[in-house]
């Protein structure tokens, strides 16, 4: 036996590997390899979910948020959940998202809570309120001051768990074919405006019309409406309103916040393992932060572009119009919340949070902005 062979034999002997043992180990490894497909077959199947939305696909702002939530769930779950997005009208109409999630037609939805005011008057507070909280205040209410609990309680009878799923930031007050210089200028106009802002405008002589985002451009183009209020410069310019009218009013007194709503069917959510439930929740929560920072950056850039390249004239409502709107807002909220016990409870919780946060917002943000101008 050569020295080399002796070394090999010595190493084998030290490991207790005779030729037969080596053969046995090889066979064992082969058996394990053959058994592997059987283990793979026992793995849980991919969970297929559908998300329906109230937006055109990939609409800057809410449409982008909806898609990112789907993508984030797919990635964070390592492919264990696959969420497929359906834009407004592809599976259900824009204003039937809530019912679709409630019934289980879709496991998720992305919309705005104010669209369900006819079903639940208190829902409007979870999108925005005229002359109400700004995004940072609204988030504090939901996350820290009892807002989420009120939201959960409101939607529980419908089998839905709501989450913040984006934020388009403060809005503009809308696009107008003719300028608004007095209160009388509003009377008789047809304006697309959603939420409680529509009722405020109605009391000032406007005819409010609620139209899905996908139909806004055509409605303005064909004079179905005289003006359109939607979101901020980024989303608005993507829909092309600047091609039709040039008067752009702001700020959006009726929507100082723009929380997007992610809806999850409660039965579907509870059917997930604890870690996957956390994935769904965190995918929505992260989007609330990312979308707001994106909206701030994109709205700033889009506003400058609208003014410089499209000749859009940015205006503020005259003082008498703004004063009348603020007075009307308080009246509308009082009457509105008296009709429904749940809405009144939510309103009281909302106003309590707003009053608590107002002093710090004025000092920390208002004074800083005033100081640098």
């Amino acid at each position: 036996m050569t020295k080399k062979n002796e070394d090999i034999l010595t190493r084998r002997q030290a490991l207790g590997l005779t030729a037969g043992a080596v053969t046995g180990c090889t066979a064992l490894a082969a058996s394990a390899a053959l058994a592997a497909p059987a283990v793979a077959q026992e793995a849980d199947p991919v969970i297929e979910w559908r998300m329906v939305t109230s937006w055109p696909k990939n609409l800057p702002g809410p449409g982008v948020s909806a898609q990112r939530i789907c993508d984030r769930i797919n990635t964070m779950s390592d492919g264990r959940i696959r969420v497929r997005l359906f834009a407004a009208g592809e599976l259900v109409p824009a204003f039937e998202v809530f019912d679709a999630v409630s019934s289980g037609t879709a496991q998720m939805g992305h919309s705005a809570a104010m669209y369900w005011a006819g079903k639940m008057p208190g829902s409007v507070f979870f999108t925005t309120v005229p002359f109400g909280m700004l995004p940072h205040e609204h988030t504090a209410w939901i996350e820290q001051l009892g807002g989420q609990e009120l939201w959960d309680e409101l939607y529980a009878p419908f089998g839905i768990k709501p989450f913040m799923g984006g934020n388009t930031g403060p809005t503009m007050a809308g696009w107008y074919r003719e300028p608004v210089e007095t209160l009388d200028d509003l009377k008789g106009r047809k304006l697309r405006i959603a939420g409680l802002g529509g009722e405020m405008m109605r009391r000032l002589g406007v005819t409010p019309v609620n139209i899905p985002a996908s139909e806004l451009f055509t409605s303005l183009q064909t004079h179905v409406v005289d003006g359109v209020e939607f979101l901020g410069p980024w989303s608005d310019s993507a829909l092309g309103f600047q091609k039709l009218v040039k008067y752009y009013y702001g700020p959006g007194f009726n929507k100082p916040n723009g929380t997007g709503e992610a809806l999850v069917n409660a039965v579907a959510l509870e059917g997930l393992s604890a870690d996957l439930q956390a994935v769904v929740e965190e995918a929505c929560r992260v989007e609330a932060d990312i979308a707001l920072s994106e909206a701030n950056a994109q709205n700033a850039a889009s506003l400058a572009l609208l003014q410089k390249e499209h000749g859009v004239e940015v205006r503020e409502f005259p003082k008498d119009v703004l004063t009348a709107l603020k007075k009307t807002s308080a009246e509308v909220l009082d009457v509105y919340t008296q009709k429904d016990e749940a809405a009144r409870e939510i309103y009281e919780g909302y106003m309590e949070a707003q009053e608590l946060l107002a002093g710090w917002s004025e000092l920390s943000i208002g004074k800083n902005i005033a100081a640098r101008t």
Side-chain angles (χ1 to χ4, degrees), residues 145-168:
L145 300 174
Q148 184 68 56
E149 289 77 10
L150 290 169
W151 204 2
D152 289 343
E153 184 179 351
L154 184 67
Y155 284 18
F158 300 92
I160 289 179
K161 168 67 176 176
F163 296 104
M164 292 189 295
N167 198 310
T168 52

Side-chain angles (χ1 to χ4, degrees), residues 9-342:
L9 181 58
T10 301
R11 288 197 297 272
R12 285 179 177 174
Q13 288 172 334
L15 294 170
L17 295 177
T18 63
V22 172
T23 303
C25 287
T26 304
L28 186 61
S31 297
L34 290 172
V39 173
Q41 289 172 4
E42 294 173 4
D44 292 336
V46 173
I47 298 168
E48 301 279 357
W49 276 16
R50 295 187 286 190
M51 174 190 277
V52 290
T53 81
S54 296
W55 326 113
K57 195 172 184 65
N58 289 322
L59 171 69
V64 171
S65 282
Q67 185 61 64
R68 275 199 299 245
I69 290 172
C70 293
D71 295 342
R72 195 172 293 119
I73 291 173
N74 297 346
T75 300
M76 290 172 63
S77 70
D78 197 24
R80 292 158 64 194
I81 307 179
R82 186 163 51 210
V83 186
R84 181 183 174 191
L85 184 143
F86 293 85
E90 290 184 343
L91 191 61
V92 299
F95 296 145
E96 293 182 17
V97 167
F98 188 94
D99 290 339
V101 177
S102 178
S103 68
T105 299
Q107 290 76 25
M108 292 192 73
H110 195 278
S111 190
M114 64 184 178
Y115 292 155
W116 327 130
K119 188 187 301 292
M120 301 167 291
S123 67
V124 297
F125 292 93
F126 299 103
T127 303
T128 190
V129 176
F131 299 97
M133 287 191 273
L134 292 166
H136 71 285
E137 296 170 318
H138 187 97
T139 300
W141 175 51
I142 295 294
E143 294 277 8
Q144 302 294 328
L145 300 174
Q148 184 68 56
E149 289 77 10
L150 290 169
W151 204 2
D152 289 343
E153 184 179 351
L154 184 67
Y155 284 18
F158 300 92
I160 289 179
K161 168 67 176 176
F163 296 104
M164 292 189 295
N167 198 310
T168 52
T171 69
M172 291 290 282
W175 299 79
Y176 287 76
R177 205 178 302 280
E178 300 294 334
V180 177
E181 296 176 347
T182 68
L183 273 172
D184 287 340
D185 289 337
L186 289 173
K187 294 177 180 177
R189 295 194 188 185
K190 290 180 293 182
L191 177 65
R192 188 280 180 185
I193 184 168
L196 294 177
E199 177 58 19
M200 291 165 51
M201 282 294 196
R202 187 188 67 77
R203 292 183 177 218
L204 297 181
V206 173
T207 300
V209 183
N210 197 9
I211 301 170
S214 59
E215 301 173 18
L216 293 182
F217 182 87
T218 302
S219 297
L220 186 60
Q221 183 181 44
T222 58
H223 292 252
V224 170
V225 292
D226 303 307
V228 165
E229 175 274 338
F230 184 49
L231 292 174
W234 184 35
S235 301
D236 286 2
S237 59
L239 292 175
F241 302 137
Q242 70 276 11
K243 300 174 184 177
L244 303 175
V245 297
K246 298 300 179 183
Y247 296 109
Y248 197 24
Y249 279 82
F253 60 88
N254 63 310
K255 291 194 302 190
N257 177 56
T259 293
E261 176 182 66
L263 303 165
V264 186
N265 179 276
V267 173
L269 184 63
E270 291 165 7
L272 298 177
S273 60
D275 64 321
L276 289 182
Q277 289 183 31
V279 163
V280 172
E281 181 174 352
E282 291 306 312
C284 297
R285 176 175 283 144
V286 167
E287 186 56 34
D289 291 333
I290 291 176
L292 182 57
S293 62
E294 180 179 54
N296 285 330
Q298 295 292 343
N299 279 332
S302 296
L303 182 62
L305 193 65
L306 286 170
Q307 292 174 287
K308 292 178 182 177
E309 296 193 9
H310 298 279
V312 170
E313 187 173 332
V314 176
R315 292 191 170 198
E316 295 182 25
F317 283 121
K319 187 174 181 179
D320 64 326
V321 173
L322 199 60
T323 299
L325 286 168
K326 192 170 183 178
K327 179 177 180 292
T328 303
S329 170
E331 295 170 353
V332 167
L333 280 169
D334 188 57
V335 172
Y336 183 80
T337 55
Q338 291 292 348
K339 298 178 181 179
D340 183 87
E341 184 177 344

